[in-house]
Amino acid sequence: TEERKKKFLFPSNPVAASIIGITFRKSDEGKIRDLESFAEYSGKLVPISPQSAQFAVVQDFNKAHPDKQIALVPSDTFIINDAYLWVIEGRYDAFFDLKLSFQNSVLSEKGAFHSLSDKLSYAPYKGIPTWTLFNRNEASLAAAYDRAVEKLRADGTLSSLSVKYFGEDVFSYVSE
């Protein structure tokens, strides 16, 4: 919001990225490979809260793909874990999900939905950059921090750390 922008400084350089994409039935892997093929297949997505950044991402996708629309249905609230079951049941064909959530909830042997790992699949869409925020009164600290992060990005350190801690270069999913 405008009020937040008045309180915080956003550096130019992100320090990481959250990978978002779709969780869908493994039986649909031949038909669904990415967001475009999902839109062609059905576009029947688990409802998303309009306040969620994910809602805006799907809106942007629909604007960029007028011939391949995803049905974007707003939802007040639901328990996110229900989304996995709704996809399995066929109520919806995909759930717009964070890759890390899918890995922790479904793929991890300790995940609450690991029993569904043979029934669910995931396709990444894009990376949403993440930044460290600074108080507006700390402009010099924010500028120094931003210069340091730029050096780490330029020499490959950020990508290397991403591979070390996330198992892949999350920056490869960032298109902006």
Side-chain angles (χ1 to χ4, degrees):
T1 65
E2 288 303 314
E3 185 63 30
R4 279 193 192 136
K5 289 179 182 176
K6 292 177 187 176
K7 291 181 180 179
F8 298 106
L9 289 173
F10 290 80
S12 299
N13 295 293
V15 294
S18 292
I19 301 168
I20 56 174
I22 53 172
T23 296
F24 56 95
R25 288 180 296 280
K26 197 173 281 270
S27 61
D28 291 332
E29 280 182 338
K31 301 168 205 148
I32 301 172
R33 298 167 305 288
D34 50 28
L35 223 52
E36 290 83 359
S37 61
F38 169 67
E40 289 175 1
Y41 173 69
S42 79
K44 192 174 176 189
L45 190 64
V46 171
I48 301 173
S49 170
Q51 298 86 357
S52 166
Q54 294 174 343
F55 194 90
V57 170
V58 176
Q59 279 182 321
D60 290 345
F61 175 88
N62 283 343
K63 286 177 190 170
H65 301 86
D67 58 328
K68 298 177 188 174
Q69 295 288 293
I70 293 174
L72 186 55
V73 177
S75 171
D76 286 341
T77 59
F78 65 88
I79 299 171
I80 291 178
N81 295 337
D82 287 344
Y84 294 125
L85 298 174
W86 292 346
V87 169
I88 292 294
E89 293 169 353
R91 190 182 300 191
Y92 299 96
D93 292 318
F95 168 50
F96 207 61
D97 198 4
L98 293 170
K99 186 174 185 181
L100 191 58
S101 293
F102 179 77
Q103 289 171 327
N104 290 337
S105 297
V106 178
L107 297 182
S108 170
E109 289 185 9
K110 295 179 182 178
F113 291 90
H114 182 67
S115 63
L116 303 177
S117 64
D118 62 333
K119 295 178 177 81
L120 293 172
S121 191
Y122 184 87
Y125 173 56
K126 69 186 295 184
I128 304 297
T130 57
W131 290 268
T132 301
L133 298 179
F134 291 90
N135 183 295
R136 282 238 177 252
N137 298 327
E138 299 293 338
S140 60
L141 174 62
Y145 176 88
D146 207 25
R147 286 190 301 275
V149 171
E150 172 56 27
K151 286 180 186 175
L152 295 172
R153 187 202 57 75
D155 73 9
T157 301
L158 285 182
S159 291
S160 176
L161 289 171
S162 175
V163 170
K164 180 178 179 178
Y165 291 103
F166 298 118
E168 64 186 321
D169 183 358
V170 296
F171 296 100
S172 68
Y173 292 96
V174 177
S175 59
E176 301 157 10

